[in-house]
Each structure stands twice: as structure tokens, then as C-alpha cells.
């Protein structure tokens, strides 16, 4: 043993056998202090780890609540679309009466703010189309906003349709008939409003069904980009969406487009302008 090492050993040993304050009070506390310090850091680490797990579980629970609302809203949209499929042509006026009165239950959708953590997994680059990722919160917000807007327009459409029907001739069998040339100026104004509302509804309905289906099919992958689901799979589950239903698949097919030449004549605009009137951004 070197002289320096021997000197250190002797110094420590002298502390142990000394009758000083160090021997009687400080030395016995050293192991306890070290143990307590280590225990504190271990406990802090475990506490933080548990807090992270609890926070991630809460995020999954919020996603599941949102998905239940979205699925309910999606089923409402599919129900509306199913009631229209096969009943409308390209004639703008026939499309109104072919679709009928769109009386359906529309569930509310809230909670987009609980999905902000998805932004962590957003790998979009500047210039990429917004529809490339469901980690893009503005896309989700726009979808929900457009759904609520569609519900408002359906209510408006139904009211205008009811107002317009007051101008129609009803036979003894309850069948309505209309001759455009015989309509009053008030009836024509109401008809134009009705055609406009109807086309807004049909176009937005087509786009939103595709958008909702894309969201419900892709949200799990988006969550996986933002959370380590493997770490919490023993604590919670993420709802899966199955769109293999034949009714859903049929509803994803677009409705017939309107005759834009007829629309242009009705609204006294060019065909190009008539085509631009009902663009939703989804197609």
C-alpha cells in the first residue's frame, strides 16, 4: 500500500474510533443520508414515470371519446347518403325532390382540443397538402367545423323546401307538380335558393363521408406517431374502426354531378362559374 493510501485509511479509521462529534453524530448518519438520497431519486423517477403513463392513458381515453362521437356522426352522414343513393339524377330540380326531406339525427362532435398531442407526430413539411396527415390538427378542426356547417345547411334546406312546396300544385292523390314557366317571381327566387342549398348539401355530404372515413381509418396510426402505445397497452386500448361494411363502401362512391349547364341557366352565370360554386376542397 502506498504511503498516501495508508494515510487516507488511517484518517478514516481515526474518525471511526474518535470520541468527537463526528464519530458520535455525523458518521452514523452518513449511510442513512446516502440511502435516503438514493431512495428520493428513485421515488422521484418512478413518480414521474407513473405520471407520464397516467397522462398517456388519459390521452387515449380522450381519443376514444372523440372517436365514439365521430363514428356516431359518420353513421348519420352514411344514413343520409344511403337515403339518397339511386334517387337523384343530374337535373338540379329533380335532385331536390329525389333527395326528399333529410330528417336524420345528427350527433354533436366536440373535443378537438384534447387531440393537440397529435401534433407531436406531425412530420409534414412546408408545401405538403394538408390532407397528407391526421397529425395535422387544423385538418381535424376543419372536418368537424364542416360537419357542423353541413348540419346547419340541411336544416336550412329543409325549411326552404317546405316554403317552396307552398307554390306547387297538389292533386287529389297528394302528388305535387310544377311547371317552371308558370311559377311566380317569388316562387322562382325560392326555387333558386332551394337549388343552391341542395347542391351545397349534396357536395359537402359526399366530401365529408370520404374525409370521416379517412380519419376513422387513419387515426390509430396518427396516435402511434405521438405516443408509445406499447408502454400503456396493458392499461388501456385504442378503439379500432372497421369500414368493411358494404353500406359504408357504397356511401364512399360519389353521387351523380349536377348538370352545370342547367345550373348556369338557372342562376344566370357561366358554366365555369356554376362549376366553381359548389367546390368543397375535398375533391
Amino acid at each position: 500500500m502506498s504511503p498516501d493510501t495508508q494515510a487516507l485509511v488511517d484518517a478514516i479509521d481515526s474518525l471511526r474510533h474518535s470520541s468527537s462529534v463526528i464519530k458520535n453524530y455525523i458518521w452514523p448518519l452518513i449511510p442513512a443520508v446516502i440511502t435516503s438520497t438514493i431512495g428520493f431519486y428513485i421515488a422521484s423517477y418512478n413518480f414521474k414515470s407513473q405520471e407520464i403513463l397516467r397522462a398517456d392513458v388519459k390521452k387515449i381515453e380522450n381519443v376514444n371519446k372523440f372517436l365514439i362521437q365521430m363514428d356516431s356522426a359518420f353513421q348519420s352522414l352514411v344514413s343520409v347518403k344511403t337515403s339518397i343513393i339511386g334517387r337523384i339524377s343530374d337535373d338540379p330540380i329533380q335532385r331536390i325532390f329525389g333527395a326528399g326531406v333529410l330528417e336524420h339525427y345528427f350527433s354533436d362532435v366536440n373535443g378537438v382540443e384534447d387531440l393537440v398531442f397529435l401534433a407531436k407526430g406531425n412530420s409534414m413539411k412546408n408545401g405538403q397538402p394538408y390532407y397528407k396527415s391526421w397529425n395535422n390538427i387544423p385538418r381535424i378542426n376543419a372536418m368537424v367545423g364542416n360537419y357542423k356547417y353541413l348540419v346547419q345547411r340541411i336544416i336550412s334546406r329543409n325549411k326552404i323546401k317546405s316554403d317552396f312546396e307552398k307554390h306547387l300544385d297538389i292533386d287529389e292523390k297528394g302528388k305535387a307538380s310544377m311547371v317552371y314557366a308558370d311559377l311566380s317571381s317569388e316562387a322562382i327566387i325560392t326555387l333558386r335558393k332551394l337549388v343552391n342549398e341542395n347542391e351545397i348539401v349534396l357536395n359537402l355530404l359526399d366530401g365529408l363521408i370520404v374525409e370521416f372515413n379517412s380519419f376513422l381509418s387513419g387515426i390509430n396510426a396518427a396516435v402511434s406517431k405521438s405516443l408509445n402505445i406499447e408502454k400503456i397497452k396493458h392499461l388501456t386500448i385504442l378503439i379500432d374502426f372497421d369500414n368493411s361494411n358494404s353500406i359504408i363502401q357504397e356511401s364512399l362512391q360519389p353521387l351523380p354531378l349536377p348538370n352545370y349547364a342547367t345550373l348556369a341557366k338557372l342562376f344566370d352565370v357561366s358554366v365555369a362559374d356554376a362549376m366553381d360554386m359548389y367546390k368543397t376542397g375535398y375533391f
Side-chain angles (χ1 to χ4, degrees):
M1 182 181 298
S2 69
D4 291 339
T5 303
Q6 183 62 49
L8 181 61
V9 171
D10 291 342
I12 294 173
D13 191 56
S14 69
L15 285 175
R16 186 175 304 184
H17 296 291
S18 170
S19 58
S20 68
V21 173
I22 294 177
K23 171 187 174 184
N24 295 328
Y25 297 101
I26 298 179
W27 182 265
L29 291 176
I30 291 176
V33 171
I34 293 174
T35 302
S36 298
T37 302
I38 294 173
F40 170 77
Y41 283 110
I42 291 175
S44 296
Y45 174 79
N46 287 336
F47 177 77
K48 289 179 180 178
S49 297
Q50 291 299 318
E51 285 296 296
I52 292 172
L53 286 178
R54 276 193 286 269
D56 286 349
V57 168
K58 182 63 176 177
K59 290 172 184 175
I60 295 297
E61 290 174 350
N62 287 337
V63 171
N64 284 338
K65 289 178 184 177
F66 187 76
L67 287 178
I68 290 171
Q69 294 181 72
M70 289 294 290
D71 183 63
S72 179
F74 179 63
Q75 297 304 326
S76 297
L77 296 178
V78 171
S79 176
V80 174
K81 180 78 172 279
T82 301
S83 71
I84 296 173
I85 292 175
R87 295 177 53 188
I88 64 173
S89 65
D90 68 343
D91 180 81
I93 296 176
Q94 186 281 329
R95 290 159 72 85
I96 296 169
F97 298 100
V101 179
L102 304 177
E103 293 181 335
H104 297 263
Y105 169 74
F106 296 98
S107 61
D108 199 7
V109 177
N110 296 292
V112 176
E113 65 275 9
D114 292 327
L115 306 182
V116 293
F117 74 93
L118 292 176
K120 183 179 178 181
N122 193 349
S123 58
M124 288 180 60
K125 298 178 181 178
N126 289 336
Q128 280 188 310
Y130 77 97
Y131 52 80
K132 287 295 184 181
S133 170
W134 280 115
N135 291 90
N136 185 11
I137 301 301
R139 181 184 181 187
I140 299 174
N141 206 35
M143 174 179 58
V144 173
N146 282 329
Y147 167 73
K148 294 181 179 182
Y149 176 71
L150 173 61
V151 173
Q152 292 174 357
R153 298 312 288 254
I154 288 175
I155 294 171
S156 174
R157 172 201 177 276
N158 288 343
K159 183 180 183 305
I160 296 174
K161 183 175 182 294
S162 178
D163 291 341
F164 177 70
E165 287 173 347
K166 297 173 184 177
H167 298 281
L168 301 181
D169 294 323
I170 310 296
D171 62 22
E172 64 277 3
K173 294 182 180 179
K175 204 169 185 180
S177 61
M178 181 193 80
V179 178
Y180 184 82
D182 294 339
L183 291 177
S184 66
S185 58
E186 180 186 355
I188 291 175
I189 291 172
T190 305
L191 177 61
R192 287 173 176 168
K193 290 180 181 178
L194 181 53
V195 169
N196 183 58
E197 290 290 332
N198 195 60
E199 291 304 324
I200 288 172
V201 166
L202 296 183
N203 279 272
L204 194 51
L205 176 65
D206 257 354
L208 278 176
I209 284 182
V210 173
E211 187 76 342
F212 267 63
N213 180 72
S214 174
F215 172 79
L216 292 168
S217 301
I219 187 60
N220 285 27
V223 172
S224 296
K225 292 179 181 178
S226 303
L227 291 179
N228 189 342
I229 296 180
E230 286 297 312
K231 282 188 176 181
I232 55 175
K233 67 180 182 180
H234 62 293
L235 299 173
T236 188
I237 60 170
L238 183 59
I239 296 174
D240 280 326
F241 172 70
D242 180 10
N243 68 350
S244 60
N245 185 302
S246 61
I247 295 176
I248 292 177
Q249 289 300 311
E250 185 179 23
S251 72
L252 294 173
Q253 302 305 311
L255 292 167
L257 293 174
N259 185 318
Y260 290 108
T262 304
L263 282 176
K265 184 176 180 181
L266 181 64
F267 292 112
D268 194 23
V269 297
S270 68
V271 173
D273 287 341
M275 294 179 71
D276 287 338
M277 287 172 64
Y278 304 108
K279 287 184 178 179
T280 62
Y282 287 121
F283 295 105

